[in-house]
Every structure is written in C-alpha cells, then in structure tokens.
Amino acid sequence: MPIVTRFAPSPTGHLHIGGARSALFCWAFARKNGGRFMLRIEDTDAARSSLESARGIIEDLHWLGIVNDLGPYIARDGSIGQHDWDAASGRPPVGEFFQAKRVPIYNQYLEQLVRAGRAYPAFESNEEIEAQRKAAVAAKQTYRYPRPSEIEYGKFNAALEARWRRALAGERHVVRFAAPHEEIVVHDQVLGDVKYAPGEMDDFVIRKADGFPIYHFAVVIDDETMGVTHVMRAQEHLNNTPRHVALQKALGFRTPFYAHMPLIINMDNSKMSKRDKAKFARKAAKDAMAKDRSITAATLAPAAGIDEKLLAQFLAGENDSLEVAQPLARYFKLALPEIEVWDFRQNGYLPEAITNFVALLGWNPGLKTPDGKDLEKFDMKFLAEHFGIERIGKTSSKFDRAKLLSFNADAINALPDEEFAARWRAWCEEFESDFAKAVGPSEGRWLALARAVKPRAKTLRDGVRASAFLLRSDAARDFDPAAIEKNLKANGGQGLGLLRTVEERLGSLAPAEWTPALIHSLIEQVGQQAGTGMGPVSQAIRVAISGAAVSPPLGESLAVLGPVSAMARIRTCLEQQAV
RNA sequence: GGCCCCGUCGUCUAGCCCGGUCUAGGACACCACCCUUUCACGGUGGGGACAUGGGUUCGAAUCCCAUCGGGGUCACCA
C-alpha cells in the first residue's frame, strides 16, 4: 500500500502559519517515502466555509512550493480541478475532495452504524443540551451526554428502530455515536502510546441537524476511503484521536499511523490565532486613548475611516473584525502581527525562508555543517530527502519573528542579483504598485536599484523603504535638520564646501561616465584632495539627494537617480543652505 | 475543574532512547570590539540553560518517582 499523507484544512480564511507547517511535514513525509500527498477540503461547516477561502489556501500552499499529488488544484484558467487516483494505482477514484460534496457517502456509513446499534438519532435541542452542560459545569462536574436507557450498545432494537423511523420521517435530530466503554490506546509516532480510560468518551454527535457530518466522522471515513496511511497534524488534535480510533473500530476500518506535532505558539505562550490581529489593534487603540484623553471612539472612527458602531463593538471586544483592525493599524502606523501565510507574503517574506524556518519549529535534521555547527539552512529538496517522523519533537515552539526575519534576510542575500531583481520587481508590482510605477519599466534600472538594496534588505519591503529617496521630488527642501547640522554645517560648513566641489566635478561628467564605479571614484578623489577622506563627502551628498543621513551606497544611488535629478537635488540643497 | 501532552540559554534547538567523551554545542536576539562613505553585511569576543526535590548509580541533562510550571482539549467548529 502506498504511503498517503493528507492536509485537510477547513476553508474559513487564509492558510495559518501552523497549517503551513502541518502541510509541509505531510508533504515532506510523502516525498521522502515515495508516497502521495493529498489535499482535502473540510467544508462541512456550511456557515463558515467558502470557496474563496479554499482557493486562497490552495494558492498559499502553491506559493510555498507545497504541491499536492491528490485533491484540488487551481488550473491555468482559474477553475478548480482535482487530481485523483488513476487506474494504474489500483485504487478506486475518490471523486470528491470537498467534504460537503461527500454527504451521501457519510450517510451510507452512518446508516451502517445505526443498524449495528452503534449510532442513534437523538432529539434534544441544542438549547436543552447546552442547559444541561451549564448545570454540570456549575456543579463542577464533567458533562457527558447520558446515553438513553433504551439504547442497547450494539443492538438495533425496537427503540432504536423507532428513533430511526422518526429521523427518516424528517423530525429534527442529530445522530450520536454509541461510544465503547473500553480503554482506548492511541499509538502515536511522536508521543508514544497515549491511553484513555474507559468511560472518558461520551456519545458524541456524528451528524448535525443540518445533515452534515461532524468533523470526527467525516475524517475517519475519508481517511479510510481515500487511502490515507499517515495522519500528521497538530497536537491540538490529540484528544480527538480516541474518538477516531473508536469510530474506525466500529466501522471495521484500519487505523492509520498517527503523528501529532507540537504546537506553534506566540512568544507570550498564547495560541497563535487569527484573532491576535484584532487583539493587537485593540490594544494599540486603547493605549492611544489612555495616553491622550481627547481620542475617543467617536473621534477615532472618522479619523481612521471606520464605522463608529463597529469600532465601539470592536473596542469592547464584541467583535474581532479585520474591517476594523486593519484601518486601525494603518491609522496608528503599526503593522498587524503576521499569522497567515498571506500576511508574510504581503510583507515581503520569501517562501523559501518561511518553509525553512517553519520546518525547524518542532523538527530538526540533526545534522552538522562541515564546520561543526547545527545544520539549519536547507531547501525543500533537502526536506524531501531528509524528513522523518523520528526527529519531530514533543515540545511546543514559540514563533520567534526575529529569527524568521534573519532567515529571510539570508534567503534574500543568497539570491543572485538578477533573480532578486526579478522577484523583487514582481513583488513590488503586486504590493507596492506606486513604487513600481516610479521605478518604471527599465529592467536595467530595476537591476541597479536591486543591487544597491539587496545586501541590506531583510524583507522585500525593506528594499522599497531603502529606495524611498527615489520618489523624492528634486525640488524638495524638507531635509532632516539633524542631518543638515551634522553633515553640512558642522566644522564651519565643511560639508557644504565639499558639496559645492562635488557639484562642479559631477557636472563635468559625460553622460556615459555616469556609472556607479566612476561616481564612486570621483567621490573618493574629492575626499582625498580635500584631505577629509570620503566620509564627509559622502554624507554631504547623501543628505542632498535623500534628505537624510541614511541611503543605499552613493554610486548606485546616483546612477539610478540619473544626472538630471541628482544634480537638481544637489543644487536645491545648496540653494536652501545658502539662504 | 476532568482528561491528555510537555518542561536544556530570552527564543529555536543539539545532546536524552544506548548514563561517563557535557567545565552542555549551534543558531536567532542582546552586549563589546574590529571592518566601514551612512545604514546594513561580515569578522572576533562576551553574558546566558539542563524547572525543583528526592531516589537508582562509582558517576545523571540523560533512568525512576514526586512536586511545581506551561500548554492542549472538553461544541449540532474543524
């Protein structure tokens, strides 16, 4: 039997970074063992699932380089296609990888369970159950649904048949699994044997009143019928596993291998969730309001362009809407924490940095580099060749953004200039279109800028920030006062004098001589002749062309700017300072 | 609260299974110095951990137990 792993997200938003790691490990395990990696969409929550989310998740995975052998993919024309088992595999085709389309299959197994006396319709309303649960909690008891006395475990008796008829007649009901009263052992490949005592499990719901299966039921049937051999998922699912094992036994299915991976959590030990964005924005707003009493929901809403009522609810913690969090963050000029793959992509992270970093959260190749250090930089190919369950750890890992950033910077710098330029440009066109337009269509210009920016960019967005001087008007006079003071006026106006010399010398360069190398040596010469070295010369020019004391190296900067702009800026600066 | 999992530098981890080679190694972050046209990069060095307490043993980060701590989960969500 071929090894089959699966990643089975529910399409309720973008791909979570933790989900990305699950998918990555499943993918790598399949690759390493010559198996197949399957994608399945768990959209049985009709209210929260959407096709757009499913599409987004598939795209996120694709962007990361995690490509599935089985299940949905997005075709060139944008439609969703499905890879299925072919005749040569000897397996029946799956047909549908979206659970919502598999309801008849679930119902068929459900009936089998009912007729075996291992499942039964229950007619209590959600409210009734909820009330019982609350009462139990109030009495400090663990709530377990009490199996009706007329239900006989493993027998399709008259009472069960009567219930089944009521259900078939259309009476509103759920179907519950008659859980076994026996110890259940989960043989986990990471954690070892995990035992659950008899009676821990109650008769949980396996089909909702709306006719959709509950997660546990759909998963078990799908894993069996789709040929899944290895279930690798986050540890938050560990306590679900005995249910799955019990269901498999009741249905006569095999039990796949399980491997539960450690959780990825925030630096403050909290769970990394989409809601963190709302929490972050709420805190920012509240901090601002505490600092400045004149800021209230009423003043903030129009200023940030948010509906006042929505904002008030948001601040009260009654909703976690991104419609509020995003404009709030923009207004306070803060970046929301990145939680989903899309966030990282938008903020200029490279997929290879993300997969590399995330692979190290809870897994480690256990290899050394030639100079004896832990090997931790690797690519997808390496993962596909070296990944194994044995080296998955048991302890949850905190998501250290600083280290990711460092990985990203390294990944950027490992790129050849040309490739970086092309990828940076494509990213800018997608996420920084104003900047992309300002740079223009010239490939040479992009490459020159990219060369200047690459060594100091930790993200693609950093490259834009570093190039911001390009967008400055040649006539702009808003020079950073501190920079003016230090680099132009100090030492009796030394910088200004040097800048005048530079202006003359630069002005005499022929257009063909306007290259990074020649500009650089010109600056060097001026510095030498003035006896100051090139430092003060450089800083004076930097202030003149960028308005600040920080910019990419000058040769490249001036070259990209071009003689007309560069000279104009120097003159502007000189004029302003002469006044 | 019940059940379940986990516990090596601030963080990710190597080492643990097969006790001695561990005065516990690496990476990120931090600090200092060097390099340097700014900012970065880079280089060198530094501080920094076996949760605690008991065992077992000649010897424990490594094996056992307890305590403490952290997390997960207890839905007609997945």
Side-chain angles (χ1 to χ4, degrees), chain A residues 142-175:
Chain A
T142 305
Y143 176 76
R144 290 196 179 85
Y145 178 83
R147 182 177 301 164
S149 53
E150 78 261 30
I151 298 295
E152 281 181 87
Y153 181 81
K155 287 209 176 97
F156 189 68
N157 62 15
L160 176 49
E161 192 175 356
R163 280 173 175 252
W164 187 233
R165 257 199 230 108
R166 278 169 71 188
L168 288 178
E171 190 171 338
R172 191 173 172 82
H173 68 285
V174 299
V175 176

Coordinates of all heavy atoms in Angstrom, one line a residue, chain A residues 142-175:
Chain A
T142 N -18.0 17.0 35.2 CA -17.7 16.9 33.7 C -19.0 16.5 33.0 O -19.6 15.5 33.4 CB -16.6 15.9 33.5 OG1 -15.5 16.3 34.2 CG2 -16.3 15.9 32.0
Y143 N -19.4 17.3 32.1 CA -20.6 16.9 31.4 C -20.3 15.8 30.4 O -19.5 15.9 29.5 CB -21.2 18.1 30.7 CG -22.5 17.7 29.9 CD1 -23.7 17.5 30.5 CD2 -22.4 17.5 28.5 CE1 -24.8 17.1 29.8 CE2 -23.5 17.1 27.7 CZ -24.7 16.9 28.4 OH -25.8 16.5 27.7
R144 N -21.1 14.7 30.4 CA -21.1 13.7 29.4 C -22.6 13.4 29.0 O -23.4 13.2 29.9 CB -20.4 12.4 29.9 CG -18.9 12.6 30.1 CD -18.2 11.3 30.2 NE -16.8 11.5 30.4 CZ -16.2 11.7 31.6 NH1 -16.9 11.7 32.7 NH2 -14.9 11.8 31.6
Y145 N -22.8 13.4 27.8 CA -24.2 13.1 27.3 C -24.6 11.7 27.8 O -23.9 10.7 27.5 CB -24.2 13.2 25.8 CG -25.6 12.8 25.3 CD1 -26.6 13.8 25.2 CD2 -25.9 11.6 24.8 CE1 -27.9 13.5 24.7 CE2 -27.2 11.2 24.3 CZ -28.1 12.3 24.3 OH -29.4 12.0 23.8
P146 N -25.7 11.6 28.6 CA -26.1 10.3 29.1 C -26.8 9.5 28.0 O -27.8 10.0 27.4 CB -27.1 10.7 30.2 CG -27.6 12.1 29.8 CD -26.6 12.8 29.0
R147 N -26.3 8.4 27.8 CA -26.9 7.5 26.8 C -28.4 7.1 27.2 O -28.5 6.7 28.4 CB -26.1 6.2 26.5 CG -26.7 5.3 25.5 CD -25.8 4.1 25.2 NE -24.5 4.5 24.8 CZ -23.4 3.7 24.9 NH1 -23.5 2.5 25.3 NH2 -22.2 4.2 24.5
P148 N -29.4 7.3 26.4 CA -30.7 6.9 26.7 C -30.8 5.5 27.1 O -30.2 4.6 26.5 CB -31.5 7.2 25.5 CG -30.7 8.1 24.7 CD -29.3 7.8 25.0
S149 N -31.6 5.2 28.2 CA -31.6 3.8 28.7 C -32.1 2.8 27.7 O -31.7 1.6 27.8 CB -32.5 3.8 30.0 OG -33.7 4.3 29.7
E150 N -33.0 3.2 26.8 CA -33.5 2.2 25.8 C -32.5 1.8 24.7 O -32.7 0.9 24.0 CB -34.8 2.7 25.2 CG -34.6 3.7 24.1 CD -34.9 5.2 24.5 OE1 -34.6 5.5 25.7 OE2 -35.3 6.0 23.7
I151 N -31.4 2.6 24.7 CA -30.4 2.2 23.6 C -29.5 1.1 24.2 O -28.9 1.2 25.2 CB -29.5 3.5 23.3 CG1 -30.4 4.6 22.7 CG2 -28.4 3.1 22.3 CD1 -31.0 4.3 21.4
E152 N -29.5 0.0 23.4 CA -28.6 -1.1 23.8 C -27.4 -1.1 22.9 O -27.5 -1.2 21.7 CB -29.4 -2.4 23.6 CG -30.3 -2.8 24.7 CD -31.0 -4.1 24.5 OE1 -30.4 -5.1 24.9 OE2 -32.0 -4.1 23.8
Y153 N -26.2 -1.0 23.6 CA -25.0 -0.9 22.8 C -24.9 -2.1 21.9 O -24.9 -3.3 22.3 CB -23.8 -0.9 23.8 CG -22.5 -0.8 23.2 CD1 -21.9 0.4 22.8 CD2 -21.7 -2.0 23.0 CE1 -20.7 0.5 22.2 CE2 -20.4 -1.9 22.5 CZ -19.9 -0.7 22.0 OH -18.7 -0.6 21.5
G154 N -24.7 -1.9 20.6 CA -24.5 -2.9 19.6 C -25.8 -3.7 19.2 O -25.7 -4.7 18.6
K155 N -26.9 -3.1 19.5 CA -28.2 -3.8 19.1 C -29.1 -2.8 18.4 O -29.4 -1.8 18.9 CB -28.9 -4.4 20.4 CG -28.2 -5.6 20.9 CD -29.2 -6.5 21.6 CE -28.5 -7.8 22.1 NZ -28.1 -7.7 23.5
F156 N -29.6 -3.2 17.3 CA -30.6 -2.4 16.6 C -32.0 -2.9 17.1 O -32.7 -3.6 16.5 CB -30.5 -2.7 15.1 CG -31.4 -1.7 14.3 CD1 -31.1 -0.4 14.2 CD2 -32.4 -2.2 13.5 CE1 -31.9 0.5 13.4 CE2 -33.2 -1.4 12.8 CZ -33.0 0.0 12.7
N157 N -32.3 -2.4 18.3 CA -33.5 -2.9 19.0 C -34.7 -2.1 18.5 O -34.6 -1.1 17.7 CB -33.4 -2.9 20.5 CG -33.1 -1.5 21.0 OD1 -33.3 -0.5 20.3 ND2 -32.7 -1.4 22.2
A158 N -35.8 -2.4 19.0 CA -37.1 -1.7 18.6 C -37.0 -0.2 18.9 O -37.5 0.6 18.1 CB -38.3 -2.4 19.3
A159 N -36.5 0.1 20.1 CA -36.4 1.5 20.4 C -35.6 2.3 19.4 O -36.0 3.4 19.0 CB -35.9 1.7 21.8
L160 N -34.5 1.7 19.1 CA -33.6 2.4 18.1 C -34.3 2.5 16.7 O -34.2 3.5 16.1 CB -32.3 1.6 18.0 CG -31.2 2.1 17.0 CD1 -31.0 3.6 17.1 CD2 -29.9 1.4 17.2
E161 N -34.9 1.4 16.4 CA -35.6 1.4 15.1 C -36.7 2.5 15.1 O -36.9 3.2 14.1 CB -36.3 0.0 14.9 CG -36.7 -0.1 13.4 CD -37.3 -1.5 13.1 OE1 -37.2 -2.4 14.0 OE2 -37.8 -1.7 12.0
A162 N -37.4 2.7 16.2 CA -38.4 3.7 16.3 C -37.8 5.1 16.1 O -38.3 6.0 15.4 CB -39.1 3.6 17.6
R163 N -36.7 5.3 16.8 CA -35.9 6.6 16.7 C -35.5 6.8 15.2 O -35.6 7.9 14.7 CB -34.7 6.6 17.5 CG -34.9 6.8 19.0 CD -33.7 6.6 19.8 NE -33.9 7.0 21.2 CZ -33.4 8.1 21.8 NH1 -32.6 8.9 21.1 NH2 -33.6 8.4 23.0
W164 N -35.0 5.8 14.6 CA -34.5 5.9 13.2 C -35.7 6.2 12.3 O -35.5 7.0 11.4 CB -33.9 4.5 12.8 CG -33.2 4.5 11.5 CD1 -33.4 3.6 10.5 CD2 -32.2 5.4 11.0 NE1 -32.6 3.9 9.4 CE2 -31.8 5.0 9.7 CE3 -31.5 6.5 11.6 CZ2 -30.8 5.7 9.0 CZ3 -30.6 7.2 10.8 CH2 -30.2 6.7 9.5
R165 N -36.9 5.7 12.6 CA -38.0 6.0 11.7 C -38.4 7.4 11.9 O -38.7 8.1 10.9 CB -39.2 5.1 12.1 CG -39.4 4.0 11.0 CD -40.7 3.4 11.1 NE -40.6 1.9 11.1 CZ -40.8 1.2 12.2 NH1 -41.2 1.7 13.3 NH2 -40.5 -0.1 12.1
R166 N -38.4 7.9 13.1 CA -38.7 9.3 13.4 C -37.8 10.2 12.6 O -38.1 11.2 12.0 CB -38.6 9.6 14.9 CG -39.8 9.3 15.7 CD -39.5 9.4 17.2 NE -39.3 10.8 17.6 CZ -38.9 11.1 18.9 NH1 -38.5 10.2 19.7 NH2 -38.8 12.4 19.2
A167 N -36.5 9.8 12.6 CA -35.5 10.6 11.9 C -35.7 10.6 10.4 O -35.7 11.7 9.8 CB -34.1 10.0 12.2
L168 N -36.0 9.4 9.9 CA -36.3 9.3 8.5 C -37.5 10.1 8.1 O -37.6 10.6 6.9 CB -36.4 7.9 8.1 CG -35.1 7.0 8.1 CD1 -35.4 5.6 7.7 CD2 -34.1 7.6 7.2
A169 N -38.4 10.2 9.0 CA -39.7 10.9 8.7 C -39.4 12.4 8.7 O -40.4 13.2 8.4 CB -40.7 10.6 9.7
G170 N -38.2 12.8 9.1 CA -37.9 14.2 8.9 C -37.9 15.0 10.2 O -37.7 16.2 10.2
E171 N -38.1 14.3 11.3 CA -38.0 15.1 12.6 C -36.6 15.5 12.8 O -35.6 14.9 12.5 CB -38.4 14.1 13.8 CG -38.6 14.9 15.1 CD -39.2 14.0 16.1 OE1 -39.9 13.0 15.8 OE2 -39.1 14.3 17.3
R172 N -36.5 16.8 13.4 CA -35.2 17.4 13.6 C -34.4 16.6 14.6 O -34.9 16.3 15.7 CB -35.3 18.8 14.0 CG -34.0 19.6 14.0 CD -34.3 21.1 14.4 NE -33.0 21.7 14.5 CZ -32.2 22.2 13.5 NH1 -32.7 22.1 12.3 NH2 -31.1 22.8 13.7
H173 N -33.2 16.2 14.2 CA -32.4 15.3 15.1 C -30.9 15.4 14.8 O -30.5 15.9 13.8 CB -32.8 13.9 14.9 CG -32.4 13.3 13.6 ND1 -33.1 13.7 12.4 CD2 -31.4 12.5 13.2 CE1 -32.5 13.1 11.4 NE2 -31.4 12.4 11.8
V174 N -30.1 14.9 15.7 CA -28.7 14.7 15.4 C -28.5 13.2 15.6 O -29.3 12.5 16.1 CB -27.7 15.4 16.4 CG1 -28.0 16.9 16.3 CG2 -27.9 14.9 17.8
V175 N -27.4 12.7 15.1 CA -27.1 11.3 15.3 C -25.8 11.2 16.2 O -24.8 11.9 15.9 CB -26.8 10.5 13.9 CG1 -26.4 9.1 14.2 CG2 -28.1 10.6 13.1

